[in-house]
Amino acid sequence: MRNIICAGAFLLALAGVAGADPIEGLWQTQPDEGSFAHVTIAPCGAAFCGTITRTFKDRAEYQSPNIGRQIVIDMAPSGGGQYQGRVWRPANDRIYSGKASVEGDRMSLSGCVAGGLLCKSQTWVRVQ
């Protein structure tokens, strides 16, 4: 009986991990003009959104007015770890057409203009 309970608990834990989308979690942005942030990405409707939860400048945490702001907006999965949506760049307060690609604990995130002809990319690292 004990083995059955342990096996059931293991399967439930495994199902919880398997059910999470690769983009979900806590990510650290690449530094932009000396600052970086921790961003929590979670479901928002049929897509995913990322909210700034902590901010750092020159490696020291500080209380930025951007905490609580959405930086990844309506990022919808398009298959194979690929996503499309919008991204906000705090350094110039602009929203861009965005795309993301997740591989393991790294995410490549791009903001584009001119129909995707001009893009700026960052690589984010998973914190959790």
Side-chain angles (χ1 to χ4, degrees):
M1 182 65 135
R2 183 173 162 210
N3 287 343
I4 292 172
I5 292 171
C6 288
F10 175 75
L11 289 174
L12 283 174
L14 188 60
V17 170
D21 194 278
I23 200 168
E24 286 184 72
L26 182 62
W27 296 87
Q28 180 173 305
T29 68
Q30 184 175 317
D32 188 7
E33 297 186 5
S35 297
F36 67 93
H38 284 178
V39 176
T40 300
I41 298 183
C44 60
F48 294 91
C49 297
T51 303
I52 297 172
T53 53
R54 296 173 72 188
T55 51
F56 302 84
K57 187 168 191 135
D58 300 322
R59 298 192 182 266
E61 188 168 3
Y62 77 104
Q63 292 298 311
S64 166
N66 295 330
I67 292 174
R69 297 254 341 239
Q70 211 171 74
I71 191 169
V72 175
I73 306 159
D74 295 327
M75 200 61 73
S78 56
Q82 307 292 312
Y83 303 82
Q84 292 186 334
R86 295 177 293 146
V87 294
W88 172 60
R89 184 174 181 223
N92 63 2
D93 194 27
R94 298 204 46 191
I95 294 176
Y96 297 93
S97 172
K99 53 188 172 181
S101 175
V102 177
E103 277 191 42
D105 288 342
R106 302 245 185 262
M107 175 171 42
S108 175
L109 187 71
S110 300
C112 304
V113 295
L117 294 175
L118 301 169
C119 298
K120 182 172 181 175
S121 297
Q122 284 196 349
T123 300
W124 292 8
V125 178
R126 185 183 303 277
V127 176
Q128 289 180 316

